[in-house]
Amino acid sequence: MGEILDGLGAAAVLVFTLDPYLVEISLRSLAVTLSAVLVASLIGLPLGAWLAVRDFCGRRAVVIVLNGLMGLPPVVVGLFVYLLLSRSGPLGVLGLLFTPWAMILAQVFILLPLIASIGLQVMGDLWEEYAEMLTSLDATPTQQMGTLLWEGRHGLLTAALAGFGRGIGEVGAIMIVGGNIDHATRVLTTAITLETSRGNFALALGLGLVLIALALTVTAAMHLIARNRGTHP
Amino acid sequence: MSRRAGSRGLLPLELRAAQAERAGKRVAGPVDLVIAGRGLTCVIGPNGAGKTSLLKMLHGLLPLSAGELRWQGAPEGLRARQGFVFQTPVMLRRSVLENLAYPLRLHGLGRTAARARAAHWLERVGLAALGEHPARGLSGGERQKLALARALVREPELLLLDEPCANLDGAATHAIEEILQAARREGTRIVMTTHDLGQARRLADEVLFVVHGKIHESGPAGRFFEAPRTGEARAFLNGEIVR
Ligand SMILES: Nc1ncnc2c1ncn2[C@@H]1O[C@H](COP(=O)(O)OP(=O)(O)OP(=O)(O)O)[C@@H](O)[C@H]1O
Ligand SMILES: [Mg+2]
């Protein structure tokens, strides 16, 4: 019990003195996950819109696979990206392994099915409602997709935030492809793992608090968005 | 609306031995119908008769399981030259003005031009004061006016309306009818369904009486209301149940 209290105290000091180590890895965490969310959204949301408006043979299978991939174990994704980027792998020449780029790539794989699936759900519901009207107005498939993306913007932002929540707390994949290298690829989650194993509980707790604060900020943002949606039903 | 005179037309629009199915069941047809000339046609008949289905066939929204739909001009011009008001109009999650500018934007009009033209039509249907309101917050009557304006904003040659005045009070119904009369005067061909026989008497030049997916009787409105030819039509006009 005393250890936890000591840890909390030390953590508070770290946070309020803006400890350089803490700031560095927090910013790296944010940069990696925000980049991954951005890339996964830029691919996943149009993909979801396309699946919402297009009916083709095999569509159901694609949707089922996409939903299934939401539960992709991060460690396995990490292993896959590791093999892809390792020196003898197909993308080995790029030399990206153990860089933040590799971590972003791994997180894109993890977040893409999640963001695309939630996006499809949001835009599929909208399509039920809008299909006849959009067909009546002769909207082209591209215009239909654009309309769904814009009309569903609040729900889609929630999809992106869900992706952020999953990415910021993820440790398995980025540990494998990033390597948890000090001043290079260390982020909040991998640092917590390391400091805990070293017995530096105060630091580990401080990092944990920052992580929780980030997650809470995201939740608060979601609530704000939900409330905004209420005013423009 | 002199624009129409010079442009190549869509009409006559023609259904030939047309049928439509839903869930493997025939919901309309076989129907032979020509929409041409000027004026306003009212489609009447009991619930479930196939009035909505007929309008959607004319709009190319309900694919034909047999027969054909023919029109003049470019193959892709069918819906571009028609406006459709659905039985329950769907509003985009945008302002009233943006809802009205939307069909114009789809047609490639710039934002400013689209908004200006939309504002003009808002004025015409009496919604100018509500332009910046969220469209989903409108009352039933206001929604119906907006849906009508949205169907008219591209100045269609043929306007199809599915019960445009359902659930509206007398004043709102009157307002919608005024807009329809004005559109007709300007040369827009109108086909509408209605359950309000008084409205059909006020507006229709021609009546299509639909039962069981077929056009049971059709003709000039005056004759239809004064001397219906079939027993079913007589019964329907008397408010009796038509089987
Ligand atoms: N999506 C659908 N799936 C299956 N059946 C349908 C569908 N839409 C309409 N129908 C059926 O087609 C028939 C004709 O329907 P339609 O909507 O054209 O009638 P209507 O004359 O417009 O009726 P109302 O006066 O109630 O609006 C009805 O029996 C209806 O149950
Ligand atoms: Mg109907």
Side-chain angles (χ1 to χ4, degrees):
Chain A
M1 192 62 207
E3 215 161 39
I4 293 180
L5 283 181
D6 286 351
L8 279 176
V13 172
L14 283 175
V15 171
F16 288 113
T17 57
L18 288 179
D19 178 73
Y21 178 65
L22 187 68
V23 170
E24 183 199 319
I25 59 174
S26 299
L27 287 179
R28 187 172 299 119
S29 263
L30 268 182
V32 166
T33 299
L34 284 178
S35 309
V37 166
L38 188 69
V39 174
S41 297
L42 285 176
I43 303 170
L45 295 181
L47 175 66
W50 188 75
L51 286 170
V53 305
R54 272 296 157 110
D55 204 7
F56 54 92
C57 145
R59 179 185 175 277
R60 271 185 76 85
V62 173
V63 172
I64 288 171
V65 169
L66 200 61
N67 283 323
L69 289 178
M70 274 202 285
L72 217 55
V75 187
V76 178
V77 175
L79 177 62
F80 170 74
V81 173
Y82 184 95
L83 294 174
L84 208 62
L85 298 180
S86 69
R87 204 170 301 161
S88 54
L91 299 179
V93 288
L94 299 177
L96 293 180
L97 199 60
F98 303 131
T99 67
W101 298 110
M103 297 152 72
I104 293 172
L105 184 64
Q107 292 214 330
V108 167
F109 278 111
I110 296 169
L111 304 185
L112 183 60
L114 179 76
I115 291 176
S117 291
I118 301 179
L120 171 58
Q121 210 171 328
V122 169
M123 291 183 284
D125 287 350
L126 277 179
W127 181 244
E128 293 258 304
E129 198 183 341
Y130 288 167
E132 275 200 324
M133 175 192 59
L134 293 178
T135 311
S136 167
L137 293 175
D138 263 340
T140 64
T142 316
Q143 289 173 331
Q144 293 171 347
M145 285 167 56
T147 301
L148 292 189
L149 286 166
W150 175 251
E151 294 285 309
R153 57 197 180 275
H154 297 303
L156 299 181
L157 198 49
T158 312
L161 289 173
F164 177 81
R166 173 129 198 243
I168 197 83
E170 191 274 322
V171 60
I174 50 174
M175 184 70 105
I176 294 180
V177 303
N180 195 20
I181 301 165
D182 201 10
H183 298 307
T185 59
R186 185 160 300 163
V187 291
L188 281 169
T189 52
T190 56
I192 291 172
T193 312
L194 178 71
E195 300 306 338
T196 305
S197 68
R198 280 179 176 167
N200 291 337
F201 297 118
L203 186 51
L205 261 178
L207 298 167
L209 285 181
V210 172
L211 194 55
I212 290 170
L214 285 176
L216 280 180
T217 311
V218 169
T219 318
M222 276 184 180
H223 277 284
L224 275 179
I225 289 160
R227 211 177 53 190
N228 271 343
R229 188 166 14 169
T231 63
H232 223 284
Chain B
M1 266 175 231
S2 51
R3 186 195 60 69
R4 195 164 295 118
S7 56
R8 272 191 309 150
L10 166 85
L11 304 175
L13 177 71
E14 207 175 334
L15 280 173
R16 284 193 190 169
Q19 301 188 29
E21 286 178 1
R22 272 195 146 135
K25 184 176 138 259
R26 187 170 73 199
V27 295
V31 173
D32 286 285
L33 176 64
V34 180
I35 305 290
R38 300 188 136 227
L40 189 151
T41 301
C42 274
V43 182
I44 60 174
N47 285 130
K51 302 181 296 295
T52 299
S53 305
L54 182 63
L55 285 194
K56 287 185 179 173
M57 283 160 85
L58 289 171
H59 198 43
L61 262 190
L62 186 55
L64 303 185
S65 57
E68 57 179 338
L69 175 66
R70 302 177 143 227
W71 62 93
Q72 310 302 307
E76 67 279 4
L78 177 67
R79 280 187 291 266
R81 296 189 149 280
Q82 297 186 357
F84 199 108
V85 177
F86 290 92
Q87 203 159 351
T88 9
V90 173
M91 297 301 154
L92 295 166
R93 291 153 170 81
R94 310 177 184 195
S95 72
V96 169
L97 188 67
E98 288 295 336
N99 262 273
L100 204 40
Y102 179 76
L104 299 170
R105 301 279 288 138
L106 289 183
H107 261 199
L109 214 64
R111 190 179 138 86
T112 317
R115 283 177 68 96
R117 207 143 120 204
H120 164 75
W121 278 94
L122 271 192
E123 193 85 42
R124 274 195 69 166
V125 299
L127 291 178
L130 297 173
E132 296 308 324
H133 283 233
R136 297 195 155 227
L138 293 182
S139 76
E142 291 160 350
R143 260 170 189 253
Q144 215 66 38
K145 282 185 195 167
L146 178 55
L148 183 52
R150 192 167 61 188
L152 282 169
V153 73
R154 283 175 177 177
E155 305 189 346
E157 218 178 310
L158 174 63
L159 179 63
L160 302 170
L161 306 113
D162 200 358
E163 297 189 32
C165 299
N167 303 318
L168 299 191
D169 67 16
T173 300
H174 182 72
I176 299 272
E177 287 182 7
E178 295 264 278
I179 300 165
L180 292 180
Q181 300 276 26
R184 170 170 55 181
R185 273 198 302 278
E186 286 161 11
T188 308
R189 184 72 173 87
I190 300 174
V191 179
M192 63 183 277
T193 71
T194 179
H195 280 291
D196 178 352
L197 292 177
Q199 179 170 61
R201 283 174 201 271
R202 285 193 296 278
L203 296 179
D205 299 302
E206 181 195 26
V207 171
L208 301 176
F209 176 55
V210 176
V211 188
H212 294 315
K214 299 192 182 67
I215 298 176
H216 195 77
E217 188 173 336
S218 66
R223 209 222 59 227
F224 178 85
F225 288 115
E226 295 320 312
R229 276 196 290 242
T230 62
E232 284 85 349
R234 262 193 302 279
F236 184 75
L237 291 179
N238 288 332
E240 291 160 20
I241 295 165
V242 179
R243 291 182 197 286

